Amino acid sequence: MKATGIVRRIDDLGRVVIPKEIRRTMRIREGDPLEIYTETDGSVVFRKYSPVGELSRVSAEYAEAINRTSGIPIAICDRDSVVAVAGVPRKDYIEKPISNGLSGVLSTRRSYAREGSATQIKVTEQDGIVNYLSPIVSEGNVIGAVMSLKQEGKAPDGSEKKLVDAGAYFMSTQTEI
C-alpha cells in the first residue's frame, strides 16, 4: 500500500471525503461502487468494485466461445481495465487500463463501429483497435463493454455485430443476478 500523506476526518454521519486527486488518479466517479475491506492491522481499504471483474471467469469463457466459433478476436472490459480477451495475446491486454478514447466511447452509452481510419479507438493506449463495441448496461449504468478487435482487411459485418451485442446483453444479465 502506498501512503499519500493526506489525512481526512470522519464526519458525524461516518462519512469521509476521498480527495479529488485520488478520485481522478484512480478514475473514481460519482456513483461508482466501492468495496470496503478491513485488515488485521486495523487498516480500512476502499477498492473499486467491478461487477464485470467479478465475472472474469464467465467473461473469459464467453470471449473464448465467440473467438473459437467465429475467429473474431474479442475483448471485454469494465470501466477501467480489460478483464478478458480471446484471439489476442493475454499479456498485452489483461488488467491493462483502457484508453481514454475507449473511456469516452463508453460514456456515450452507445454502440460503436469502426469506419475507416479516421475514427479508430484503441482498447489500451498501446494495443488493439476496436472494430465494434457494445456497452454492458446494468441498472441503467454502463459498466463495461464487449468488443471485437480489428482484423486486417475486415470491417465489422452484421454477424460480428450480433455476436458482440449478444455478448453485452448476456454480460448485463449476469450482473443483475
Side-chain angles (χ1 to χ4, degrees), residues 49-134:
Y49 175 73
S50 168
V52 177
E54 291 291 315
L55 296 170
S56 60
R57 193 182 114 263
V58 172
S59 301
E61 289 173 2
Y62 193 84
E64 190 66 32
I66 293 174
N67 178 255
R68 286 202 178 183
T69 58
S70 67
I72 300 166
I74 298 291
I76 300 174
C77 70
D78 62 16
R79 291 295 305 256
D80 298 305
S81 61
V82 179
V83 298
V85 294
V88 293
R90 287 179 45 85
K91 66 178 176 58
D92 293 343
Y93 293 90
I94 296 297
E95 296 182 8
K96 300 266 174 86
I98 64 172
S99 70
N100 290 331
L102 178 52
S103 184
V105 169
L106 291 179
S107 67
T108 69
R109 303 174 51 89
R110 295 191 191 126
S111 296
Y112 162 86
R114 178 181 61 84
E115 295 175 13
S117 60
T119 60
Q120 291 188 357
I121 302 294
K122 285 190 162 194
V123 177
T124 68
E125 294 298 341
Q126 294 80 27
D127 293 301
I129 294 173
V130 176
N131 219 24
Y132 183 74
L133 171 147
S134 186

Side-chain angles (χ1 to χ4, degrees), residues 4 10-11 18 20 27 36 44 47 53 55 57 81-82 86-87 89 94 100 109 112 115 130 144 155 170 176:
T4 63
I10 295 176
D11 71 9
I18 300 170
K20 185 176 185 175
R27 290 179 149 178
I36 303 168
V44 177
R47 187 173 193 188
L55 296 170
R57 193 182 114 263
S81 61
V82 179
I94 296 297
N100 290 331
R109 303 174 51 89
Y112 162 86
E115 295 175 13
V130 176
F170 174 75
E176 295 174 355

Side-chain angles (χ1 to χ4, degrees), residues 1-2 4 6 18-30 32-34 45-50 78-81 97-98 100 103:
M1 213 173 337
K2 186 171 131 183
T4 63
I6 300 169
I18 300 170
K20 185 176 185 175
E21 305 81 36
I22 293 174
R23 292 193 317 263
R24 187 176 334 136
T25 302
M26 301 304 295
R27 290 179 149 178
I28 298 171
R29 299 165 196 84
E30 182 180 336
D32 281 355
L34 298 174
V45 177
F46 290 90
R47 187 173 193 188
K48 286 184 71 173
Y49 175 73
S50 168
D78 62 16
R79 291 295 305 256
D80 298 305
S81 61
I98 64 172
N100 290 331
S103 184

